[in-house]
Amino acid sequence: MDKAYLFLLPLIAVALIIIPLVIALKRKKSGKSVNIKKSIVINACSFIGCMALMICVMPAFVGAAEAGETAEAADGLAKGLQYLGAALSTGLATIGTGIAVGGAAPAAIGATSEDDKNFTKSLIFVALGEGVAIYGLLISILILFS
């Protein structure tokens, strides 16, 4: 495969990931029933399939590189994995924060509405949930600058 067509791979991946969502939206707009769980599973499977395809196809381009470009490709791969690790640490930490704050904030609002003295105590629990995101960001900064 020619390197000129390399830019098409991400476009194909994005198209494969968006297609199940577009189909679900069209079905909902036309009034047909939409199975949300099925749509999410299809979307997740298409995302995982695209990422597996990218992992399988990209080494073919790296393997086709000349001997002088191999060191640059390995350095690029290490830098890419470094960015991936930083993105995963921040992304998973913020997902955890969303889950924690999603449970703590309504409880804090309910406790505050019953008694105003509970505001500071409930604020601490919400702030503890936010701390997870800060730790994830700290880890990603350490990964990027190490």
Side-chain angles (χ1 to χ4, degrees), residues 49-87:
C50 287
M51 292 303 113
L53 179 69
M54 292 293 180
I55 289 170
C56 293
V57 170
M58 291 310 246
F61 293 108
V62 175
E66 296 178 9
E69 295 177 353
T70 306
E72 293 176 11
D75 186 41
L77 179 64
K79 196 71 166 168
L81 289 175
Q82 185 179 14
Y83 288 139
L84 182 65

Side-chain angles (χ1 to χ4, degrees), residues 4-134:
Y5 298 110
L6 187 61
F7 72 94
L8 289 176
L9 290 176
L11 295 176
I12 292 170
V14 169
L16 287 175
I17 293 169
I18 291 177
I19 285 173
L21 293 175
V22 171
I23 292 171
L25 288 175
K26 282 188 177 182
R27 286 183 60 91
K28 187 169 186 167
K29 191 174 184 180
S30 67
K32 297 178 182 174
S33 65
V34 178
N35 188 351
I36 301 294
K37 289 182 182 180
K38 183 178 177 183
S39 298
I40 291 173
V41 168
I42 290 172
N43 196 344
C45 289
S46 63
F47 176 75
I48 292 168
C50 287
M51 292 303 113
L53 179 69
M54 292 293 180
I55 289 170
C56 293
V57 170
M58 291 310 246
F61 293 108
V62 175
E66 296 178 9
E69 295 177 353
T70 306
E72 293 176 11
D75 186 41
L77 179 64
K79 196 71 166 168
L81 289 175
Q82 185 179 14
Y83 288 139
L84 182 65
L88 281 174
S89 68
T90 303
L92 293 175
T94 52
I95 289 172
T97 296
I99 293 170
V101 171
I109 292 169
T112 303
S113 67
E114 289 179 9
D115 187 12
D116 290 337
K117 295 177 184 177
N118 291 333
F119 178 72
T120 54
K121 293 177 186 175
S122 60
L123 189 62
I124 290 171
F125 288 111
V126 175
L128 285 173
E130 292 288 336
V132 175
I134 295 171

